[in-house]
């Protein structure tokens, strides 16, 4: 009973994915609010100091902040959504080959966020720079998605080095 | 001498890189840049296959995917792959290919004896034969036919190669890189459009590659330019094989020596410029299938591109004069003597030779008959458009003499250009490509739209080369002759669709690319109608065969679809769980101890829950957070039972109906605060309930002030169940009062365990024992499980899985989705009629009052016990009034579940029985025709264990 309470990761993603890409799990605070006052437009992202607001549903907004941050508003889903970070020079290029949405489309490029399908997985992506992509996925599917990304990277050519 | 028919110079092969390969166990040499077809021809090998039905010697006819005959099996480290076209297999070092459809060898094939009986094997012969003697079909015919039928042999061993599926988006997709395609691609690329270029060959250029030397520079220059443009993606060796919904183009890229053997591309383009070119039409004449007879365009390609001398003495039977002149030039450049050229009014009477052409018989237009020795016959009946992808997308095709089937009318997404629309002149095709690209960019508002009314294609001037009488093949791949088509029509199959299916014309791996136009003309001739009037069959994807691996991509084994793991997955792995898939979930099935089988483990686990303490994963239940001042009103409308008086900290069991009054789902409704509720949904219906509630909130009752949040995955839920559950609850040191009085059954508490672990605890039970469902944020699942196991060790706490959970709930008579709640039952059928409120309105109320749903003879849920307690009730059985008789019996009910109850020590079952609630005490039979078993049973109430629920309140 005296053990320290630790949040267990949902996946074994903790380093190199292959071809110069890094994949790891980042614990974040995520809350769902239905207060749309000052919310970003649908499909858009809004950064406000430590808080990132993502709106991909008409009636709700995600508030995202670093683990340990205090987010007062909304329903906590921090443990239900696993945020993977894919880092490396070709991170966006790699994902773009497998997402249904066109990550290079002007609207998505400008928004820096999109909710789409990656293979059979529903994912929410956002990024400040294309070398560092956040991939939010339902916790129950997170390990399976990591395994899937590993399977995909094996199908790339060595000369497609993506770092 | 190697490659005796390789020209000393020229071609687009790399002579500095010779390659060795084997064909039918004989070693040959070729060069990088060769296909297997060109390399075999360079080595003088023309006879490469046997035909499917008559086992006639067949050679290489074409130089691309339209070749009907040269199907080979490739053997490599990945196994064997049959039915690859020699014209499409790039030569690579160490390649091993073999011919198919013969025994014992290609040269001496016993199957060739069938030619002697070819009259008996005419169209549709299999519909009229093999009927006698009666039992011979299974004994002989089927075996023999299976042995003889089909091309090649599938390799059933696992394929170790990797395949991939990728997406790509673009403004403009250009399919094909002949004159029209290259012009279109260059215009689009230079115009700034994101452009994807798809070419089935490994080189760009299409017909440029078989043209004069100056032509061959054009695609090379274009390719160099494309490689410098970041808005261009060039996909060579990529076959666009179909257009599907919303214009998604599917293309498969073949790659050898790569990480992925093939990649299937899903291309989403805003505009598609279809420059898929045209297919040369063979001539149909007696003996037109001998090795050594090639399409004229293919002959030019082998000479110009691959530097192959196809023979020593050639006859030209080419309808289009320009093509004839070009072929003459090419052959003469290669040092091939032209023995004769056929022109307007001349007739091809036949050919001689066995495995290789030796001569041609013809009759001139003046009636003079000639027999000419030759080893090469170049034929062409002109060209026909290849607009297959246009047709896939729903575009209309119409017959035009001299052009074949050409696109008719405009399509909002696809613009055929060049040969694909019947324009066979190079300069005009280039202009069309450019114009179409400008037009597309104009439509996309990238440029100012330019007027572009492309003139209708004009058929090129052609000579008519006639055919003599005799066995002439229309479809070489399926051995369909002119006679077969005539016979089909005469037997009444006079519609083009029927002729195709009766004769197999146009079927197979080439899908009639080189035969269908001749087929239409032949059918029209026999029927006595114009080809314009007889229509055409539907072009469907795939245009060319696609390897199954590419369709599957990375989705094999555990990657086949997303696997959902519960937050306790790793902890349960450590606890030696056996997992099973349940829907998408990987769920814990049971936890065997050393040398324990499943049945023993289940008995141990159930006994632990009934007599001590067990724990089970309940995380997969759907959990929906509902907030807002109208939350209670919303829930009151959703559930059929009344809970208007629910207080914070309490929960109720709830039953949700569909609009038609049928039970949809069940679960719990927990009141956290007056305007904050948390409901649970069954695992199977979690997604459906979430969508249902969203629709109700957003569409049906938008005036209600509520908010819904799916929190299913946020919470890990572990139920602790058994007589010692409360002791364990208290041992976990909750910061709330967990005594029986303070935390009674059907209550909910928020707090912490051990001062730090946030928990939401529900006193509910699915097992029938005192139980608490402990919900913690999913990342703390490990911590919760460790603490529960440590604190519960005193009572020998036992993790249990899905199997034991099922036994426990059946003993208790609790319902399960898919078995009892199966989409056909009302609350009354399930024995839950008392829950239905008559004091409020709720979804499904109106239709629940339908007479059919109130009828007394509806099947109702009952329990069953065997009269002989040692007998096992067979799962899946039916209820009848007598034992299994072997004849049709009247069924009065069906089982939903049957298990051995460790608690009661005998078999029990749940069933739906007509008017069952009034028949408790009756004796019936459970019969299982599959298990050939009958068990006499007593009808009892569906609650076998603790029917009054006393154990929930201990």
């Amino acid at each position: 009973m005296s053990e320290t309470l630790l949040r267990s990761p949902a996946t074994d993603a903790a380093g190199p994915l292959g071809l110069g890409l890094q994949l790891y799990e980042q614990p974040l605070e995520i809350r769902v609010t239905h207060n749309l006052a000052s919310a970003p437009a649908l499909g858009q992202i809004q950064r406000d100091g430590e808080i990132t607001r993502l709106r991909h549903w008409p009636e709700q907004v995600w508030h995202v902040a670093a683990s340990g941050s205090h987010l007062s508003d909304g329903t906590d889903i921090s443990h239900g959504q696993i945020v993977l970070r894919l880092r490396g020079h070709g991170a966006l290029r790699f994902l773009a080959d497998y997402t249904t949405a066109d990550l290079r489309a002007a609207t998505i490029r400008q928004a820096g966020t999109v909710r789409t399908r990656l293979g059979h997985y529903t994912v929410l992506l956002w990024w400040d720079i294309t070398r560092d992509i956040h991939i939010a996925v339902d916790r129950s599917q997170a390990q399976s998605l990591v395994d899937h990304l590993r399977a995909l990277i094996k199908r790339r050519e060595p000369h497609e080095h993506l770092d | 001498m190697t490659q005796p028919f390789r020209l000393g110079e020229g071609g687009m092969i790399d002579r500095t890189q010779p390659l060795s390969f084997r064909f039918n166990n004989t070693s040959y040499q070729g060069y990088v840049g060769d296909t297997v077809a060109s390399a075999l021809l360079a080595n003088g090998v023309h006879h490469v296959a046997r035909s499917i039905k008559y086992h006639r010697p067949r050679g290489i006819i074409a130089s691309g995917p339209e070749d009907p005959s040269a199907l080979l099996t490739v053997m490599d480290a990945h196994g064997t792959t049959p039915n690859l076209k020699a014209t499409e297999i790039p030569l690579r070092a160490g390649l091993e290919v073999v011919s198919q459809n013969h025994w014992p060898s290609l040269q001496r094939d016993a199957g060739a004896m069938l030619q002697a009986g070819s009259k008996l094997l005419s169209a549709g012969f299999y519909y009229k034969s093999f009927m006698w003697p009666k039992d011979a079909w299974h004994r002989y015919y089927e075996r023999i036919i299976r042995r003889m039928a089909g091309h090649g042999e599938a390799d059933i061993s696992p394929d170790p190669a990797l395949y991939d599926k990728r997406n790509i988006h673009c403004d403009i997709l250009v399919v094909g890189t002949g004159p029209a395609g290259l012009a279109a691609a260059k215009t689009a690329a230079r115009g700034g459009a994101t452009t994807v270029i798809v070419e089935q060959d490994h080189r760009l250029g299409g017909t440029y590659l078989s043209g004069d030397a100056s032509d061959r520079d054009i695609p090379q220059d274009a390719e160099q330019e494309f490689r410098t443009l970041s808005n261009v993606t060039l996909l060579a060796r990529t076959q666009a094989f179909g257009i599907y919904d919303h214009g998604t183009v599917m293309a498969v890229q073949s790659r050898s020596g790569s990480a992925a053997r093939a990649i299937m591309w899903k291309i989403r383009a805003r505009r598609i410029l279809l420059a898929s070119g045209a297919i040369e039409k063979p001539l149909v004449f007696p003996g037109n299938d001998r090795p050594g007879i090639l399409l004229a365009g293919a002959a030019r390609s082998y000479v110009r591109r691959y530097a192959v001398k196809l023979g020593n003495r050639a006859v030209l039977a080419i309808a289009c004069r320009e093509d004839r002149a070009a072929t003459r030039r090419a052959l003469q450049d290669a040092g091939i003597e032209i023995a004769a050229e056929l022109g307007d009014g001349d007739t091809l009477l036949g050919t001689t030779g066995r495995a290789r052409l030796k001569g041609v018989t013809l009759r001139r237009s003046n009636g003079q008959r000639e027999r000419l020795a030759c080893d090469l016959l170049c034929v062409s009946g002109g060209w026909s458009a290849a607009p297959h992808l246009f047709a896939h997308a729903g575009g209309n095709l119409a017959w035009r003499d001299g052009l074949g089937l050409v696109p008719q009318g405009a399509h909002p997404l696809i613009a055929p250009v060049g040969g694909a629309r019947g324009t066979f002149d190079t300069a005009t095709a280039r202009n069309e490509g450019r114009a179409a690209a400008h037009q597309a960019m104009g439509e996309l508002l990238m440029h100012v739209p330019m007027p572009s009314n492309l003139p209708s294609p004009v058929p090129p001037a052609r000579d008519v080369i006639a055919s003599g009488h005799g066995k002439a093949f229309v479809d070489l791949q399926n051995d369909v002759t002119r006679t077969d088509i005539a016979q089909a029509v005469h037997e009444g199959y006079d519609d083009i669709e029927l002729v195709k299916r009766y004769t197999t014309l146009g079927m197979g791996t080439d899908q009639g690319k080189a035969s269908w136009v001749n087929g239409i003309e032949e059918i029209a001739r026999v029927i006595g109608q114009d080809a314009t009037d007889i229509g055409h069959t539907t072009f469907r994807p795939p245009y060319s065969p696609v390897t199954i691996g590419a369709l599957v991509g990375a989705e094999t084994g555990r990657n086949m679809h997303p696997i959902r793991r519960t937050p306790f997955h790793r902890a349960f792995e450590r606890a030696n769980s056996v997992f099973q898939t349940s829907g998408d979930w990987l769920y814990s099935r049971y936890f065997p101890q050393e040398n324990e089988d499943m049945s023993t483990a289940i008995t141990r686990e159930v006994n632990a829950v009934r007599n001590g303490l067990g724990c089970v994963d309940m995380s997969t239940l759907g959990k929906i957070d509902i907030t807002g001042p109208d939350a209670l009103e919303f829930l009151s409308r959703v559930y059929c039972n009344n809970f208007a008086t629910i207080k914070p900290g309490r929960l109720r069991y709830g039953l949700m109906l569909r609009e038609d009054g049928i039970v949809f789902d069940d679960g719990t409704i927990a009141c956290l605060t007056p305007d904050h509720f948390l409901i649970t949904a069954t695992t199977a219906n979690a997604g459906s309930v979430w969508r249902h509630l969203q629709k109700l909130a957003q569409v049906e009752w938008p005036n209600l002030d509520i908010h819904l949040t799916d929190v299913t995955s946020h919470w890990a839920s572990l139920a602790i169940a058994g007589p010692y559950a409360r002791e364990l609850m208290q041992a976990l040191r909750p910061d709330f009062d967990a005594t029986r009085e303070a935390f009674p059954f059907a209550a909910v508490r928020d707090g912490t365990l051990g001062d730090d672990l946030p928990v939401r605890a529900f006193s509910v039970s699915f097992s029938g024992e005192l139980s608490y469902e402990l919900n913690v944020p999913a990342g703390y699942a490990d911590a919760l499980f460790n603490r529960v196991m440590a604190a519960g060790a005193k009572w020998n706490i036992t993790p249990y899985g899905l199997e034991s959970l099922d036994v426990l709930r059946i003993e208790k008579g609790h319902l399960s989705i898919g078995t009892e709640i199966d989409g056909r039952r009302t609350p009354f059928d399930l024995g839950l009629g008392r829950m239905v409120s008559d004091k409020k309105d709720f979804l499904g109320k109106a239709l629940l009052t339908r007479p059919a749903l109130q009828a007394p003879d509806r099947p109702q849920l009952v329990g069953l016990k065997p009269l002989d307690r040692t007998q096992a009730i067979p799962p899946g059985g039916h209820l009848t009034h007598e034992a299994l008789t072997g004849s049709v019996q009247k069924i009065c009910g069906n089982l939903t579940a049957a298990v051995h109850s460790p608690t009661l020590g005998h078999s029990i079952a749940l069933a739906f029985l007509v008017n069952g609630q009034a028949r408790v005490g009756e004796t019936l039979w459970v019969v299982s025709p599959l298990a050939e078993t009958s068990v006499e049973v007593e009808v009892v109430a569906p609650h076998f264990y603790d029917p009054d629920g006393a154990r929930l309140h201990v």
Side-chain angles (χ1 to χ4, degrees):
Chain A
M1 292 280 189
S2 58
E3 67 182 72
T4 308
L5 183 64
L6 291 176
R7 179 170 166 172
S8 305
T11 71
D12 59 3
L17 179 67
L19 300 182
L21 294 180
Q22 303 279 326
L23 183 70
Y24 60 91
E25 186 179 328
Q26 183 180 29
L28 290 174
E29 295 296 318
I30 306 176
R31 288 191 176 245
V32 175
T33 84
H34 300 87
N35 179 2
L36 303 180
S38 73
L42 193 62
Q44 300 295 312
I45 192 170
Q46 189 182 74
R47 293 179 180 83
D48 182 7
E50 299 294 307
I51 300 175
T52 299
R53 294 189 178 89
L54 293 154
R55 186 165 172 210
H56 289 281
W57 298 264
E59 82 292 2
Q60 59 174 252
V61 185
W62 280 16
H63 288 194
V64 183
S67 183
S69 303
H70 179 66
L71 291 171
S72 56
D73 197 17
T75 307
D76 190 4
I77 58 165
S78 306
H79 290 248
Q81 290 294 321
I82 295 303
V83 178
L84 302 167
R85 282 180 83 169
L86 183 69
R87 303 180 91 160
H89 188 69
L92 192 78
R93 182 152 56 96
F94 171 64
L95 291 178
D97 277 347
Y98 301 104
T99 54
T100 306
D102 180 7
L103 303 188
R104 299 184 186 95
T107 49
I108 294 174
R109 228 170 39 217
Q110 285 157 14
T113 182
V114 67
R115 184 165 176 260
T116 183
R117 302 270 288 183
L118 197 166
H120 293 296
Y121 300 83
T122 298
V123 293
L124 196 157
L125 311 177
W126 74 93
W127 61 90
D128 288 324
I129 52 172
T130 58
R131 292 192 298 271
D132 185 359
I133 314 291
H134 295 76
I135 308 168
V137 62
D138 188 273
R139 180 187 189 94
S140 63
Q141 296 186 337
Q143 181 62 55
S144 191
L145 174 61
V146 168
D147 294 341
H148 185 60
L149 292 173
R150 287 184 180 132
L152 294 178
I153 205 85
K154 282 184 193 164
R155 286 152 169 82
R156 315 292 296 203
E157 301 304 317
H159 65 259
E160 290 180 274
H161 206 68
L162 297 166
D163 66 352
Chain B
M1 178 186 172
T2 61
Q3 306 186 63
F5 290 88
R6 182 75 74 182
L7 297 172
E9 57 182 16
M12 304 178 78
I13 47 173
D14 185 350
R15 292 170 194 265
T16 66
Q17 294 193 65
L19 299 172
S20 291
F21 71 104
R22 287 164 66 83
F23 172 66
N24 284 350
N25 296 319
T26 303
S27 293
Y28 296 99
Q29 271 210 341
Y31 293 114
V32 167
D34 263 326
T35 62
V36 167
S38 66
L40 286 172
L41 291 171
N43 285 279
V45 179
H46 281 251
H47 178 201
V48 298
R50 288 277 175 173
S51 71
I52 186 168
K53 199 155 87 174
Y54 304 125
H55 289 245
R56 289 169 69 95
R58 289 283 162 79
I60 295 158
I61 314 287
S63 59
E66 69 275 22
D67 193 286
S69 295
L71 301 179
L72 303 175
T73 296
V74 171
M75 299 187 289
D76 56 22
H78 297 133
T80 64
T81 311
N83 295 331
L84 297 182
K85 299 183 182 93
T87 53
E88 290 190 302
I89 309 166
L91 198 66
R92 56 182 191 269
L95 190 66
E96 175 112 25
V97 288
V98 294
S99 53
Q100 326 177 136
N101 204 35
H102 51 67
W103 183 84
S105 70
L106 177 65
Q107 284 73 28
R108 296 178 184 279
D109 178 16
M113 288 189 296
L114 288 169
Q115 292 177 53
S118 61
K119 286 193 176 172
L120 297 173
L121 302 176
S122 58
F125 74 97
Y126 35 82
Y127 295 127
K128 310 165 191 165
S129 43
F130 311 117
M131 295 174 186
W132 183 89
K134 196 176 175 184
D135 62 344
W137 173 257
H138 294 295
R139 283 182 155 187
Y140 311 113
Y141 299 143
E142 185 182 6
R143 286 186 208 170
I144 296 168
I145 290 169
R146 283 193 184 282
R147 186 178 170 84
M148 299 190 70
H151 290 289
E153 211 166 289
D155 185 349
I156 58 170
S157 60
D159 183 354
L162 299 180
Y163 300 87
D164 203 2
K165 290 196 290 193
R166 297 180 189 174
N167 297 296
I168 192 165
H169 302 74
C170 60
D171 293 323
I172 295 178
L173 166 67
V174 181
V175 179
T177 61
L182 270 189
K186 282 195 279 193
T187 307
R190 290 169 183 169
T194 53
T195 307
V196 172
I197 303 165
V198 167
E199 170 54 52
Q200 65 191 18
D201 204 329
H202 72 277
R203 281 185 189 278
L204 307 192
T207 53
Y208 279 135
L209 301 178
S210 52
D212 295 329
S214 57
D215 284 348
R216 279 173 269 157
D217 292 339
I218 296 172
Q220 283 186 4
D221 295 344
E223 184 170 347
Q224 281 178 5
E225 181 181 346
F226 293 146
R227 302 237 179 251
T228 65
L229 295 173
S230 62
N231 59 326
V232 175
T233 303
L234 193 54
L235 299 176
R237 292 203 64 200
T238 304
Q239 177 78 64
F241 64 82
I243 296 189
Y244 295 83
D245 292 352
H246 310 294
T248 303
V249 175
M250 303 295 242
V252 65
Q253 184 177 32
S254 307
R255 309 185 341 158
S256 54
S258 302
R261 187 188 202 184
I263 298 173
M264 194 179 79
W265 293 92
K266 287 184 187 177
I267 307 172
R268 293 174 177 88
R270 298 169 73 196
R271 289 292 182 278
I272 300 166
L273 304 182
L274 186 63
S276 46
I279 294 171
E280 198 164 19
K281 198 174 72 152
L283 292 178
V284 181
F285 59 94
N288 63 338
D289 64 331
R290 293 190 201 286
I293 302 175
L294 278 85
L295 288 167
R300 295 196 295 276
S301 178
Y302 286 119
V303 170
R304 299 286 194 210
R305 179 174 172 183
Y306 299 105
V308 174
K309 185 180 180 186
L310 292 165
N312 294 311
R313 195 158 190 266
V315 171
L316 309 186
I318 301 168
C320 175
R321 289 168 199 160
E322 270 186 47
D323 287 345
R324 197 186 311 154
T327 309
R328 184 194 312 125
R329 281 199 305 276
L331 298 189
Q332 286 174 338
D333 289 350
I336 301 170
E337 178 192 351
I338 307 295
E341 295 182 23
L342 280 78
D344 209 20
D346 293 341
T347 303
L348 269 169
L349 298 175
T351 60
T352 57
R354 252 190 87 249
R356 177 76 193 268
L357 180 74
K358 285 188 175 169
V360 172
T361 309
L362 57 94
R363 186 173 58 234
R364 292 294 186 184
S365 56
N366 59 9
Q368 185 183 346
R369 195 181 171 100
E370 294 178 21
R371 294 190 69 164
L372 299 165
C374 65
D375 57 1
L376 176 65
L377 173 58
C378 297
V379 299
S380 172
W383 295 82
S384 53
H388 299 65
L389 269 66
F390 184 79
H392 294 176
N396 292 322
L397 303 180
W399 177 270
R400 285 195 61 196
D401 284 334
L403 302 177
L405 288 166
V406 294
Q408 184 81 353
H411 190 282
L413 183 67
I414 307 167
V417 292
R421 73 184 289 265
T423 300
F424 305 138
D425 168 66
T426 300
T428 312
R430 276 197 294 250
N431 290 339
E432 281 184 11
R434 277 192 287 267
H438 282 301
Q439 174 81 12
M441 287 189 287
E443 289 171 2
L444 298 177
L445 305 180
M446 300 174 69
H447 287 186
V448 177
M450 293 174 66
S452 130
N453 290 321
L454 301 178
S456 292
V458 180
R462 292 185 308 162
D463 289 345
V464 176
I465 299 172
S467 163
H469 298 291
K471 190 167 203 155
F473 289 89
V474 179
D475 183 339
L476 271 69
Q477 186 165 91
N478 295 298
D479 271 353
V480 179
T481 63
R482 284 193 305 212
T483 312
D484 290 324
I485 292 173
Q487 181 190 328
V489 172
H490 292 146
E491 289 184 12
Y493 301 100
D494 55 0
D495 181 273
I496 193 163
E497 296 278 3
L498 298 177
V499 173
K500 173 179 177 176
R501 280 152 188 85
Y502 194 63
T503 62
T504 69
L505 170 69
M507 296 184 180
T509 61
D510 71 336
Q511 285 289 289
K513 290 182 184 61
S515 64
W516 193 235
V517 170
N518 278 329
I520 289 175
E521 289 178 337
E522 196 62 30
I523 294 165
R525 188 185 64 76
V526 176
I527 294 175
Q529 291 185 2
D530 196 279
T532 318
D533 300 326
I534 65 168
H536 60 88
T537 56
T538 307
F539 288 0
R540 295 188 182 88
Y543 173 71
S544 220
V546 180
T547 177
I548 298 287
L551 300 177
V552 174
E555 291 150 13
T556 60
R558 285 231 161 160
N559 287 311
M560 191 166 75
H561 64 90
I563 291 174
R564 303 183 73 179
R565 292 171 171 85
T566 80
F568 294 103
H569 187 84
R570 290 217 177 86
F572 284 179
E573 278 181 327
R574 292 193 294 273
N576 197 34
S577 167
V578 171
F579 292 96
Q580 72 169 98
T581 52
S582 177
D584 288 342
W585 288 99
L586 200 54
Y587 209 96
S588 181
R589 190 176 190 188
Y590 62 102
F591 293 80
Q593 293 183 346
E594 206 170 336
N595 299 325
E596 208 176 36
D597 62 17
M598 185 171 78
S599 172
T600 312
I602 291 169
T603 300
R604 176 180 50 75
E605 290 173 8
V606 169
N607 287 336
V609 176
R610 293 285 180 233
N611 304 310
L613 199 54
C615 63
V616 66
D617 187 358
M618 304 296 283
S619 306
T620 57
L621 291 177
K623 303 170 201 73
I624 299 168
D625 210 64
I626 301 166
T627 56
D630 294 328
L632 184 60
E633 172 61 22
F634 177 77
L635 292 172
S636 180
R637 296 181 189 185
V638 168
Y639 289 97
C640 71
N641 48 311
N642 195 4
F643 46 89
T645 57
I646 191 170
K647 302 288 184 218
R650 299 308 302 261
L651 60 83
R652 298 281 174 85
Y653 175 69
L655 203 59
M656 196 183 287
L657 307 188
R658 302 189 316 219
E659 285 185 355
D660 61 2
I662 297 295
V663 175
F664 174 34
D665 200 55
D666 68 345
T668 58
I669 305 146
C671 180
L672 303 174
T673 67
D675 58 0
H676 186 185
F677 291 79
L678 184 104
I679 66 165
T680 62
T682 58
T683 299
N685 270 344
S688 307
V689 168
W690 167 243
R691 288 189 292 275
H692 178 62
L693 297 189
Q694 280 193 305
K695 176 176 174 272
L696 293 175
Q698 294 177 21
V699 180
E700 305 289 349
W701 307 317
N703 55 320
L704 293 184
D705 187 2
I706 59 152
H707 298 302
L708 303 171
T709 308
D710 183 357
V711 293
T712 301
S713 293
H714 178 72
W715 296 99
S717 181
L718 191 72
I720 52 173
Y724 298 107
R726 181 167 294 115
E727 279 87 339
L728 174 58
M729 184 72 211
Q730 289 172 333
L732 291 168
R733 296 196 294 125
D735 64 351
F736 49 84
D737 188 349
T739 59
R740 179 184 171 193
E741 295 71 25
F743 191 16
F745 182 70
V748 57
R749 297 289 180 269
D750 274 322
T752 59
L753 299 177
D755 300 329
D756 59 350
L757 180 57
V759 70
R760 178 172 287 165
F762 301 84
S763 53
V764 288
S765 177
F766 194 51
S767 61
E769 297 296 336
L770 179 65
S771 170
Y772 300 94
E773 285 181 13
L774 305 177
N775 286 249
V776 299
Y780 302 138
D782 257 15
L784 175 66
F785 184 71
N786 292 342
R787 292 185 191 191
V788 163
M789 293 305 289
K794 181 177 171 186
W795 299 282
N796 193 24
I797 188 166
T798 302
Y800 63 100
L802 206 54
E803 295 288 347
S804 296
L805 187 71
D806 206 35
V807 171
L808 291 163
R809 74 96 191 167
I810 294 168
E811 288 180 343
K812 181 64 182 171
H814 280 162
L815 308 175
S816 179
I817 290 287
T819 50
E820 288 80 33
I821 301 178
D822 62 358
R824 293 184 292 165
R825 311 299 170 189
T826 68
F828 307 102
D829 300 340
L830 297 166
L832 300 173
R834 282 181 302 174
M835 287 183 69
V836 179
S837 172
D838 56 3
K839 294 182 180 147
K840 65 165 189 174
D841 202 4
F842 58 86
L843 200 75
K845 183 174 187 177
L847 293 181
L848 183 60
T849 60
R850 282 179 292 166
L853 297 193
Q854 303 286 333
D857 59 346
R858 288 182 62 80
Q860 295 168 339
L861 188 68
V862 295
L864 303 173
K865 289 180 180 176
L867 290 186
D868 176 354
R869 298 287 200 254
T870 63
Q871 283 192 302
I873 301 174
H878 298 291
L879 281 166
T880 65
H881 291 277
E882 56 185 350
L884 197 61
T885 61
S887 57
V888 176
Q889 291 177 278
K890 189 175 179 188
I891 293 167
C892 53
N894 66 285
L895 269 63
T896 61
V899 292
H900 173 76
S901 165
T903 311
L904 303 176
H906 59 78
S907 179
I908 57 172
L910 295 174
F912 282 106
L913 172 66
V914 171
N915 195 22
Q917 284 155 20
R919 297 172 68 176
V920 169
E922 274 190 33
T923 301
L924 295 168
W925 287 85
V926 173
V927 299
S928 172
L930 282 176
E932 296 182 339
T933 311
S934 305
V935 175
E936 197 168 16
V937 294
E938 175 192 359
V939 179
V940 298
H943 312 291
F944 300 94
Y945 178 77
D946 188 27
D948 300 326
R951 294 182 71 86
L952 305 177
H953 302 278
V954 292

